[in-house]
Amino acid sequence: MLSKSNLQSLLFLAVAVGITLLFLTGQVGGVLSGAGLPAYKADLFAFLAIVSVAVVSLAFGGNKTMIMIGGTVTAFIVLTAFQDSMVRYMTLGAIFFAIGAYGMVASRNAVRMLMSIELMINAANINFVTFSRAVDPEHLGGQLFAIFVLTVAAAEAAVGLAIVLAIYRNMATVDMEKFNLLKW
Amino acid sequence: MFGLVGRAVESLYYVCVGLWTVAKHTGRAPITKEFPDTMPDLPGAFRGRLALAVNPETSEHLCISCRQCERVCPDKCIDITAHKSPETGKLELIDFKIDHGLCMFCGLCTEVCPTTCIINTNDFEMSDYSREALIYDLKKLTLTQDESAHYFSKKYLPIPKPKPKPAPKPAAAAAKPADGVAAPAKPAPPAAKPAEGAAAAKSAPAATDKPAGDAAATKPTAEKKADDSKDSEKEKAAPEPSAAEGKAEPDKTEG
Amino acid sequence: MEGFPQLTTWAQANVEQAVFYLLAVIAIPLAYGVVCDRNIIRSGFLLIGVFSTIAGLFILLSAQFLALAQIMIYGVGITLVVVIALMLTNPKAEKESMPALSIHKGPAIFVACFLFMCVYLALRSAENWPVKTDVAALSAAENLSRIGQSLLTNYSFHFEFASILLLAALIGAVMLAKAEPAVHDLNELSANEDKLKSSERADDVVKV
Amino acid sequence: MNPAVFEIGKFARLTVIWLSIIFGAVWAACWAVGVFAPALINASGMPTETASLASEVLRALVPVVAVAVFIPINAMFMVLCERRALALFTVRKGPNRVGPDGLLQTAADAVKLLFKEDITPHGADAVMFTAAPIIFFAPSIIGVLPLLAAASGNHELFRSVNLPTGIFYVLAIASIPVVGIVMGGWASNNKYSLVGALRSAAQAISYEIPLVLSIVAVCLMAGTLDVVKIADQQKDSLLSWNIFGGGALLPYVNLVVAGLQGNNEQVQAIMQHFQAQPLGPFAAVLMVVCCIIFFGIYITGACAEVNRIPFDLPEAESELVSGYNTEYSGIKFAIFFLAEFTNLFVVCSIASIMFLGGGHAPLPGLEQGFTEMLGGILKQLPGSKEIFSPGWLINSLVNPSTVSQAFWIILKTYSLVIFAILIRATLPRFRIDQLMAFGWKRLIPLSLILLIALTYLRELV
């Protein structure tokens, strides 16, 4: 039932959750101060620990998707647990942004690229609304900016998908690898 | 622009007319026949369950075992058992089976029946728990006198002439010598008579004594032997029930 | 939640953080699904999930109007268009192959991690956010009227410009997506029309 | 007795019985959660803080409980109502075997569907296949919550769901079900389902625009998105309903009435007002016409949104077997079925709140008389003195004005539902290209032009 890679990734998940729990209960800070290091950097150390365990289990052939998802979730919790609520929201925005950037660079399908761009735009929107709540709660400049971003994103999606459809009609594919007409 | 508005208003008007027409129907009594409670009033030509009619006046069984229905049936769902009576020399019906599970209610058998014996009734509720139960035998198929009268009047069928009663013995005597071959020259052979009656239904009752030299009488003779041998085989295969039926049936048709 | 003062204060104290982490834990795997799922139509549907959780985040940030607009425009409108576009192209061709070439994966992961660390370290290192923690968020009704007034006063130029942009995008999308029949198609079309006419004529003859 | 009258009478009797079952159940659930359980908690001797918090939680849950009880029973009744009303229109009898007059037909159907085998077709995407009915159904439960406040006359237990963004919330949530349709159609691994789902998506996106624009017109006249406020603005009489211009005609009618009564001072006052707006009467009549056309646009768009005939292309059974729900069986199909009828109910109740005056009677005297009569009846009930004594538990839920508002809103909503059934009985199905052309080339330009016209007319009145 459990393949080796799944076992690997479950092991990684257990370790990552363990590190997170240790961090949340303040153990990591205690260890750091015991070692003569500044305790307020405990979250960065826990984060690095999770990342290194993830890299090790990836090197041993764990299930990549599970490790990446589990690592991101635990790292997110570790990085934001003792932060301001504003930093929390913006870290989540940064994570969405990074995932979107990954999708944009790596994906082969043009429509998936468009979806990744939408994800990045939404990450920016989260930041705008967070600023609007925390910095400018009277004038709501961030929310208004988010509304305009929404509008522009709608226009972008419509035009982008129309372009994709036109390309598909001419080349019968939406694979970005094949769009190499403008080589030189 | 105005053309567009005009068309819009016009189509809206017609939509409203349609809505009003449908809404007006709310004020009418429902036309639904609630079937198990009220039986539908079916026309006489409706092709329902097959049945064997008796003469509505004399209540004698109309079947003459001519097997035309058996032959014409595209599904081969009719199975007639008959044998030639040793006394009279006539064909005597022993059993008549119709598998209603096979029947497709095409009505061809009722078309060919020379005596209007086999008819489509208006009954269509034949559902049962097994396929075997759909095979109807003579007892189940034969209608009562009242039912026959009902269907004869409903289908506008002519009432068949009764078989001549005072002629059992001479007929038997006459039939004995001419065992295998029908006697076309002989006056009024009883075996051919009901067929005659059906064919010439509209003729006056006085015409009963017409000699049966027609195709209706002569045609079956060629196949009679084969039929008889088949019948005897069948009797061998299942002697007891058919014998019982044979005993029971004459009583029924006589009474 | 007017009329329930105790419940509101209790919720603000206890529920908000939990709901935030719940949404985050749901949203991050969904976002991974969007970029990594083998089946691209499924990742289109997962995108709806991501947008809905982001709408939830907006409600937590007391931006109710924006949350509803997010659901209505992003969650349903844009994503459905995306899904339809996916179905119009040939998603099966991509289903078999990998969503990403392995040659792209390493740089992509590097770019993603780099971007994330940049943003996060910037967030951590900034000490003096002009945060107004003491100011309560506007109530939903005030939020709504404030947005409406701003759109028609301070931001009216942007508003009009957005409408022009949308109009241009609409026309452009229609022009791009409209199928121009190729030359041989045109020939077929005219041939069909000829056939149609001749058949009509035949019908007329029969009728006469 | 005339059999036609007899049939209509049977239909009316059935409706009354079902509606009393529905509202009895909803009332009992609300009473149990919002009144009885908090009282029990208060009496149980918990610490005061915890007890009051718990009772607040329970009271906040009342709207959700009311909707959760109301929607399944109501959908069951709507199916029966649709079948019986269609039978009336087509001169048939309709279901009349299960229970007296077929009263329990849909209950029996529901039980049957619950016990059927739940099949996931081969090659289907199992997760999406299961999620689709839920995504289709959940919005209809959370979407009607703000409408409850208007339907109950802003009763204190339902006040908490009265959002300031009320109608926008309802519309945003009501746009979600199409995602469920597309998801289910795609996940079924069946080309007919997929075609039905795609048609549904195209149709929903196209017809949502005129639908929202007609609602925007109403909000423009009312100046708010709050459903309770919109309903209360229409309480004066029939003429102040939004379908009749939201009170645009009222001053002119008042003028005529004052003139007939010979009340010169009032006539003078009103005439002065008119001299400031010479185009007033003309603009008022045009505005009424605009609003009636907007109501028509709303009904058209709503029929298309909930996939009713003549816009039921997603499930056109003569072309697409059953469209997006072809592969569904058992409880998932039941959920689809339930949600379809609930969505119809929701759009009809939005129409009755936004255009037809919500819970207010057509004539002011009628509403007052009705409320007083209800109060009288309630006082005549046995043991009424105990019931209405402040300490007794029932008191807080039996409120004549709430009952009257609920009565009127249900009356209006079900009239619209029966009108939708009449449309279904009359009109044939559109072709898909006709449907899209009608939406994009006719309805959207028409509603945009009318919206602009309305903004100007509003200034002139």
Side-chain angles (χ1 to χ4, degrees), chain D residues 76-129:
Chain D
M76 275 207 277
F77 167 60
M78 280 180 70
V79 176
L80 186 65
C81 171
E82 164 141 6
R83 294 177 65 183
R84 289 298 289 244
L86 265 182
L88 277 183
F89 293 139
T90 48
V91 203
R92 293 181 289 117
K93 280 197 163 164
N96 56 2
R97 292 279 145 179
V98 185
D101 288 350
L103 198 70
L104 302 173
Q105 177 68 48
T106 41
D109 286 348
V111 171
K112 178 199 77 175
L113 279 175
L114 290 186
F115 284 105
K116 270 189 155 183
E117 188 189 355
D118 186 10
I119 300 167
T120 305
H122 179 72
D125 189 328
V127 178
M128 297 270 169
F129 191 74

Side-chain angles (χ1 to χ4, degrees), chain B residues 1 4 7 15 17-32 34-37, chain D residues 2-5 7-8 85 88-94 96-97 419 422-423 425-427 442 449:
Chain B
M1 181 65 197
L4 198 67
R7 267 193 298 153
V15 166
V17 168
L19 287 175
W20 173 239
T21 312
V22 174
K24 267 194 301 190
H25 283 72
T26 355
R28 293 194 193 165
I31 54 170
T32 315
E34 284 172 284
F35 156 59
D37 299 343
Chain D
N2 182 359
V5 176
E7 285 296 319
I8 295 175
L88 277 183
F89 293 139
T90 48
V91 203
R92 293 181 289 117
K93 280 197 163 164
N96 56 2
R97 292 279 145 179
F419 182 66
L422 178 64
I423 289 176
T426 308
L427 297 179
R442 303 278 184 270
I449 292 168

Side-chain angles (χ1 to χ4, degrees), chain B residues 9-191:
Chain B
V9 171
E10 192 188 356
S11 46
L12 211 59
Y13 168 72
Y14 283 117
V15 166
C16 291
V17 168
L19 287 175
W20 173 239
T21 312
V22 174
K24 267 194 301 190
H25 283 72
T26 355
R28 293 194 193 165
I31 54 170
T32 315
K33 295 271 188 301
E34 284 172 284
F35 156 59
D37 299 343
T38 25
M39 291 304 283
D41 183 22
L42 295 168
F46 179 80
R47 296 204 294 259
R49 176 171 69 86
L50 290 170
L52 300 177
V54 298
N55 191 324
E57 283 168 356
T58 60
S59 87
E60 67 189 349
H61 205 280
L62 288 176
C63 184
I64 54 167
S65 320
C66 68
R67 294 174 186 275
Q68 293 204 54
C69 48
E70 190 177 11
R71 222 169 292 132
V72 81
C73 180
D75 293 340
K76 304 279 176 247
C77 66
I78 302 179
D79 182 17
I80 299 175
T81 316
H83 79 298
K84 183 165 273 184
S85 160
E87 299 107 50
T88 57
K90 296 191 315 185
L91 279 175
E92 235 172 44
L93 189 63
I94 294 171
D95 201 0
F96 197 116
K97 282 186 180 162
I98 297 179
D99 187 349
H100 275 106
L102 284 179
C103 180
M104 61 176 181
F105 307 99
C106 61
L108 286 177
C109 48
T110 65
E111 296 276 329
V112 299
C113 185
T115 58
T116 65
C117 172
I118 184 163
I119 56 171
N120 280 117
T121 61
N122 283 358
D123 180 19
F124 52 87
E125 298 170 276
M126 287 177 288
S127 43
D128 217 318
Y129 289 103
S130 69
R131 293 184 187 176
E132 286 73 30
L134 288 174
I135 304 175
Y136 284 37
D137 61 2
L138 185 60
K139 215 173 187 176
K140 257 176 134 177
L141 283 171
T142 309
L143 295 174
T144 65
Q145 197 176 352
D146 292 344
E147 285 166 350
S148 303
H150 170 69
Y151 284 118
F152 268 76
S153 70
K154 190 157 188 183
K155 288 173 185 286
Y156 304 108
L157 291 175
I159 307 287
K161 279 155 286 181
K163 289 174 189 172
K165 270 194 177 166
K169 272 186 180 174
K176 253 177 195 172
D179 196 6
V181 189
K186 270 180 187 167

Side-chain angles (χ1 to χ4, degrees), chain A residues 4-183:
Chain A
K4 194 192 159 198
S5 68
N6 279 347
L7 206 64
Q8 283 274 354
S9 38
L10 279 181
L11 199 67
F12 162 72
L13 280 184
V15 172
V17 170
I19 292 174
T20 313
L21 288 178
L22 281 180
F23 170 73
L24 289 179
T25 47
Q27 302 291 325
V28 178
V31 169
L32 284 184
S33 52
L37 288 163
Y40 66 88
K41 284 187 175 164
D43 52 350
L44 287 183
F45 275 91
F47 172 70
L48 285 178
I50 288 173
V51 169
S52 48
V53 174
V55 167
V56 167
S57 42
L58 275 175
F60 277 97
N63 184 340
K64 283 174 197 160
T65 324
M66 277 173 77
I67 290 176
M68 280 190 36
I69 293 175
T72 317
V73 171
T74 45
F76 170 70
I77 292 173
V78 164
L79 286 180
T80 58
F82 296 120
Q83 300 289 336
D84 268 2
S85 104
M86 182 184 152
V87 175
R88 233 179 253 159
Y89 283 100
M90 289 170 68
T91 310
L92 189 57
I95 285 180
F96 280 145
F97 194 79
I99 294 175
Y102 168 80
M104 213 184 116
V105 175
S107 64
R108 298 174 66 183
N109 191 317
V111 183
R112 202 194 288 272
M113 278 184 72
L114 280 176
M115 297 196 307
S116 305
I117 294 174
E118 300 287 344
L119 210 57
M120 290 163 79
I121 289 173
N122 264 277
N125 261 359
I126 294 177
N127 277 17
F128 280 131
V129 179
T130 312
F131 276 126
S132 160
R133 169 73 187 88
V135 179
D136 183 23
E138 296 102 355
H139 299 105
L140 304 177
Q143 286 189 31
L144 285 158
F145 214 104
I147 288 172
F148 289 121
V149 168
L150 214 69
T151 321
V152 175
E156 173 259 324
V159 176
L161 288 169
I163 291 173
V164 169
L165 284 183
I167 291 176
Y168 179 75
R169 215 175 18 250
N170 286 328
M171 303 181 58
T173 181
V174 285
D175 191 343
M176 294 306 280
E177 295 298 310
K178 307 242 170 77
F179 298 164
N180 49 10
L181 291 176
L182 287 176
K183 256 182 191 165

Side-chain angles (χ1 to χ4, degrees), chain D residues 334-369:
Chain D
I335 291 175
F336 264 117
F337 209 63
L338 197 73
E340 240 168 71
F341 279 91
T342 310
N343 288 343
L344 175 64
F345 184 82
V346 172
V347 292
C348 286
S349 53
I350 292 174
S352 61
I353 290 172
M354 301 301 285
F355 287 98
L356 301 180
H360 298 290
L363 298 170
L366 205 59
E367 188 177 352
Q368 208 179 352

